[in-house]
Amino acid sequence: MSTGLYLFSNDLRISDNALLQRLCQHSERLIFIYAPLNSLLVNSQNGYVKQATSKCVRAFAGQTLKQLAQELSHHGHALYLANNLEQLVRIAEEHKVVDIAIADQFGWNERTTICELKRQLRGVNFWHKSNHTLFDKDQFAFQIDDIPTTFSRFRKQVESSVGVHPTLGTPLHFPASVQCDLPLCTDILKDSQQLTPWFSQPPQTALTHYFSGSAPSRYKQTRNALWGDKFSSALSPWLANGSLSARQMYTALIKYEHKCGANESTYWIYFELLWREYFQWLALKQGASLFTFKGMSDTPPQTSFYPQRYQAWCNGNTPYPLVNALMKQLNTTGWMSNRGRQIVASCFVNELQLDWRYGAAYFEHQLIDYDVASNYGNWQYIAGVGADPRGGRHFNLTKQTEMFDPDGEFIEYYGGESLALSEPDYVSWPQK
């Protein structure tokens, strides 16, 4: 009997999963394993800050994998966890695995891990497909190495020539299950950290909930807020780990427009999905340079690393109350609005004059919606070494506070004023 292995990574779902459907049709027996591909190899390109992921990140990962395991159990399968390459190689050899399916990866570490796995399992067939994007690579009129150097050019080309494929349902048939000598995801990935109610629900419930009201029709007016009810779709955590596909979100958007009407706000949701899409393919082109100091630029930024400033930023203890409040929101909830991320990243690079890679690495460990391409791509953008023809972004912190927290409610709620001004290093900090 032919045995297949499906390796979940950034596609934690069984619906709208063409790769899974193909493997189910091809195999007589099937093994399901989740592996954090970014951490399987010792040498990491984006390892500037050696620290454990936050409780919020672990809690969200455990919750999502539990939901996936429950779905698989309905079809007679278990979801196992592999923490290193040796375990994957051993299982493949012990069970005489013929085919391994892994979704296309866009991060350098993840792709390097897959290359090493292929090297150690030369007799196995590896299947790939993009499960993380709106489009397939072969839909583009350009090669990935020739991807437009700015988002505007990418958007114009894609909007005029590329369509989104319809979503798929759950496979109609699942092959027989195989018991493995590996820990179950539901037994290992547990954390007592409480997530906010919105992030505690299943992905499809969150998707339906957001598009059930009028919030999408106001998205462009509310998207820059720091907090509030449905000011953002807040679907990014499920998009990041693939428990919700970009195509599923796009399909829900189109259904909403057919029912409630399309306007500039609903278009802007698609606009943001295109930004996410651009960063994925750009990361594929950049490879390891996504994590280098000068990024896509010819010259590196005029910044350095000051440990005390860095720690103050991480802990929300800088001279800038709005930045402090935002960082404490991140540390408490594992999430931050898009505008908030731009504000704290701008402060990191411009006011604190810090090496952007350390800020990106901190986000990597704290965000429940961490996505390697979007995270490092956005940080490069702010630092002026990415896909921004204007050479970086610098936000006036006073103006941002007046615009997005004029009454100081957000700062007060998260304790943004709690700065010990007597710290000697603060005296030399730029006050822009």
Side-chain angles (χ1 to χ4, degrees), residues 348-391:
F348 191 92
V349 171
N350 296 295
E351 271 69 31
L352 306 186
Q353 296 288 295
L354 291 168
D355 181 339
W356 68 269
R357 296 173 298 172
Y358 290 85
Y362 187 77
F363 269 23
E364 176 178 348
H365 294 100
Q366 296 294 322
L367 285 170
I368 62 174
D369 64 352
Y370 169 72
D371 172 281
V372 59
S374 295
N375 182 62
Y376 281 86
N378 272 304
W379 272 91
Q380 282 192 348
Y381 187 85
I382 293 292
V385 296
D388 184 2
R390 287 190 275 180

